[in-house]
């Protein structure tokens, strides 16, 4: 067996890490099982067979292995891209949905703001209407009281009514100006 020993090198002398040595031994045995017993025996002894046929068989085996690994990497890269795109689309949809929901929320808030403004305007108008209603009711009561208590002529009543009407218009004019400020 000295010739086999001369045609081998210890795999620990190849500058490989322990993990790489284990991989070399495993794949040398895989390649050696299809090429030669000598390569398989060298592998089991922790040696690399240095003949052209064994090295060619190991090289082909490693090339196939690298091709399989490369194909697997490409497949996983494609899958990763698909997942990334799906997540991007999902996130994009979430962003689009979030943008749509934010826009909807802002629209609702704007409608609420407008309704609150309308509410305040209508409340203000209602308060003014209430004030005028109270004034008109007070004037009507005053007129009724003056009609029932007065024994004056129609002419005086007409004049008195006209005077109240005139003063009422004056009040409404000043009241309207007061509310605009």
């Amino acid at each position: 067996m000295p010739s086999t020993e001369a045609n081998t090198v210890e795999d620990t002398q190849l500058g490989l890490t322990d993990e790489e040595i284990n991989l070399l031994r495993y794949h040398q045995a895989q390649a050696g099982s299809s090429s030669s017993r000598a390569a398989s025996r060298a592998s089991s002894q922790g040696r690399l067979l240095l003949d052209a046929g064994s090295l060619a068989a190991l090289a082909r085996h490693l090339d196939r292995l690298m091709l399989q690994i490369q194909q697997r990497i490409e497949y996983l890269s494609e899958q990763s891209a698909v997942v990334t795109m799906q997540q991007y689309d999902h996130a994009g949809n979430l962003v689009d949905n979030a943008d749509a929901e934010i826009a909807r929320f802002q629209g609702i808030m704007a409608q609420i703001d407008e309704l609150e403004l309308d509410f305040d305007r209508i409340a203000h108008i209602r308060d003014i209407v209430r004030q005028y209603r109270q004034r008109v009711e007070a004037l009507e009561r005053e007129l009724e009281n003056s009609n029932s208590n007065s024994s004056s002529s129609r002419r005086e009543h007409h004049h008195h009514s006209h005077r109240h009407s005139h003063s009422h218009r004056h009040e409404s004019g000043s009241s309207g100006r007061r509310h605009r400020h």
Side-chain angles (χ1 to χ4, degrees), residues 20-68:
E20 292 168 331
I21 291 169
N22 289 334
L23 285 171
L24 173 65
R25 288 177 183 170
Y26 174 79
H27 291 290
Q28 188 178 2
Q30 294 290 313
S33 68
S34 62
S35 67
S36 76
R37 286 170 140 191
S40 182
R41 187 172 44 246
S43 168
S44 66
Q45 294 171 357
R47 300 187 73 77
L48 178 61
L49 186 59
L50 297 177
D51 75 79
S54 294
L55 291 175
L58 181 58
R60 285 191 303 273
H61 175 78
L62 294 174
D63 285 342
R64 283 191 303 272
L65 181 61
M66 291 177 67
L67 180 62
Q68 291 171 355

Side-chain angles (χ1 to χ4, degrees), residues 10 15 34 39 49-50 58 80 99 104 108 112 127 129 131 137 143 145 151:
E10 286 188 36
S34 62
L49 186 59
L50 297 177
L58 181 58
S80 174
D99 287 345
R104 181 173 169 249
I108 290 169
I112 289 172
D127 292 345
V129 168
Q131 290 171 0
E137 287 174 350
L143 281 174
N145 287 340
S151 60

